[in-house]
Amino acid sequence: MDIPRIFNIMESAHRIHNPFTPEKFATLGAALHLEPGTRVLDLGSGSGEMLCTWARDYGVIGTGVDMSQLFSEQAILRAEELRVDHQVQFIHDDAAGYVSDEKVDVAACVGATWIGGNVAGTIELLERSLRTGGIILIGEPYWRQLPSTEDIAKGCLANAISDFLVLPELIASFGHLGYDVVEMVLANQDGWDRYEAAKWLTMRRWLEANPDDELAQEVQSKLVSEPERHAAYTREYLGWGVFALMPRIFLKQA
C-alpha cells in the first residue's frame, strides 16, 4: 500500500505536502487556541509537520495516518527530532475510512479530501472521530480567479473548472453542509512557490542519481515542464486554505 511512486520522488524532501509554510501552520495553531492535551487526528498527515510542530509548540497529542510509506517514516523521524514522539504517533495506513478509537478535539484533513470521495464525504468521515464541540479542519484548493477556459483549469492540474469553487462559494458550501466556518488561514503565492518549486531541485538530484530508473523519463519531462506550468497557471489561478468548521447550531424560532 502506497501512493504513486512519482509523488514520493517529487516530494521526498518536503516536510509539508501542500502550499502552507511553517509560519502558516503556527498561525493556524494559534488561531485555534490549542492548549496542552488537545487531541488531534490528522488524516493524510504526510511527513507529520503539522502534528509534530503543534505537539512541540502547543502541547497537543494525537495521531497521523498516511498511505505513503516514505512520508510516514519521515513523520516518525520528525517526531523524534522534535522530541515529541511520546505525544504523537504516525500510522502507515489508508486514511479512507479511518475512525479514531477515542474522540478527538480536532479532526483534520488538510489537502487530501479524496479520502472521503470529496469534501462532503471527508467531513462526514472526520465527524465520526470528533467529540461534541470539537473542530474539523479541511484543507482545500479554490480559484483565486475563475479560469476562462478548461485548458487553464487543466494547467492547474484540475480535470475541469468545476473541480474547484471560488473562495466565497467554497465558504458557502460548508454552510450548505450544516457547518459554520469559525476560522481560516489561507496560503499565498510564496507558499505555492515553496511547495511547487521545491520539487524541481529534488527531481534534478534524483535524476542525477537514478538516470536508468524506469521513471527517469517521466521525472525529466516534469522537470522541463513544471516550472513554466506553475508560473503560468497554479501561481496565478489557484488558491488554497485550511478552514475550521463546527456543526451549525440551529436555534429554536421565537
Side-chain angles (χ1 to χ4, degrees), residues 119 123 142 165-181 184 243 245 248:
V119 171
I123 291 174
Y142 60 89
L165 302 170
V166 294
L167 183 58
E169 292 175 350
L170 177 58
I171 291 174
S173 73
F174 297 128
H176 299 329
L177 295 172
Y179 291 84
D180 290 321
V181 178
M184 71 177 187
F243 304 88
L245 314 176
R248 180 159 290 171

Side-chain angles (χ1 to χ4, degrees), residues 146-178:
L146 198 65
S148 57
T149 68
E150 294 291 350
D151 284 343
I152 292 175
K154 291 176 182 178
C156 297
L157 303 183
N159 294 313
I161 295 173
S162 59
D163 279 6
F164 307 128
L165 302 170
V166 294
L167 183 58
E169 292 175 350
L170 177 58
I171 291 174
S173 73
F174 297 128
H176 299 329
L177 295 172

Side-chain angles (χ1 to χ4, degrees), residues 8-188:
N8 278 328
I9 292 171
M10 292 192 300
E11 300 188 23
S12 60
H14 282 50
R15 281 186 173 169
I16 299 173
H17 302 275
N18 57 56
F20 255 24
T21 61
E23 293 77 18
K24 291 288 185 179
F25 274 129
T27 296
L28 179 61
L32 296 175
H33 305 289
L34 295 174
E35 297 180 352
T38 298
R39 186 171 295 277
V40 180
L41 173 66
D42 187 8
L43 299 185
S45 51
S47 297
E49 191 71 1
M50 182 180 80
L51 201 52
C52 288
T53 55
W54 282 2
R56 177 196 63 192
D57 297 339
Y58 304 109
V60 308
I61 57 178
T63 299
V65 183
D66 199 273
M67 184 182 280
S68 169
Q69 179 75 47
L70 173 64
F71 299 164
S72 299
E73 292 170 355
Q74 290 176 337
I76 292 170
L77 292 175
R78 183 62 167 155
E80 293 172 353
E81 178 187 6
L82 297 185
R83 299 182 180 179
V84 295
D85 48 306
H86 61 291
Q87 295 169 243
V88 296
Q89 64 171 335
F90 293 96
I91 301 171
H92 174 230
D93 200 358
D94 187 354
Y98 187 92
V99 178
S100 177
D101 292 334
E102 184 175 352
K103 296 292 186 181
V104 301
D105 303 295
V106 178
C109 179
V110 290
T113 54
W114 58 83
I115 67 171
N118 51 33
V119 171
T122 300
I123 291 174
E124 183 179 357
L125 172 61
L126 294 171
E127 180 73 36
R128 295 167 62 189
S129 296
L130 195 68
R131 71 163 178 82
T132 301
I135 291 175
I136 287 174
L137 298 180
I138 291 289
E140 186 69 5
Y142 60 89
W143 293 121
R144 292 181 65 239
Q145 52 177 315
L146 198 65
S148 57
T149 68
E150 294 291 350
D151 284 343
I152 292 175
K154 291 176 182 178
C156 297
L157 303 183
N159 294 313
I161 295 173
S162 59
D163 279 6
F164 307 128
L165 302 170
V166 294
L167 183 58
E169 292 175 350
L170 177 58
I171 291 174
S173 73
F174 297 128
H176 299 329
L177 295 172
Y179 291 84
D180 290 321
V181 178
V182 297
E183 256 295 357
M184 71 177 187
V185 177
L186 304 181
N188 56 26

Side-chain angles (χ1 to χ4, degrees), residues 189-215:
Q189 288 176 307
D190 287 343
W192 273 113
D193 290 345
R194 297 286 27 89
Y195 175 54
E196 294 289 348
K199 300 174 186 178
W200 309 336
L201 181 59
T202 299
M203 288 192 287
R204 175 56 188 259
R205 296 302 190 207
W206 183 90
L207 277 172
E208 292 172 352
N210 301 276
D212 300 320
D213 191 275
E214 62 181 3
L215 288 183

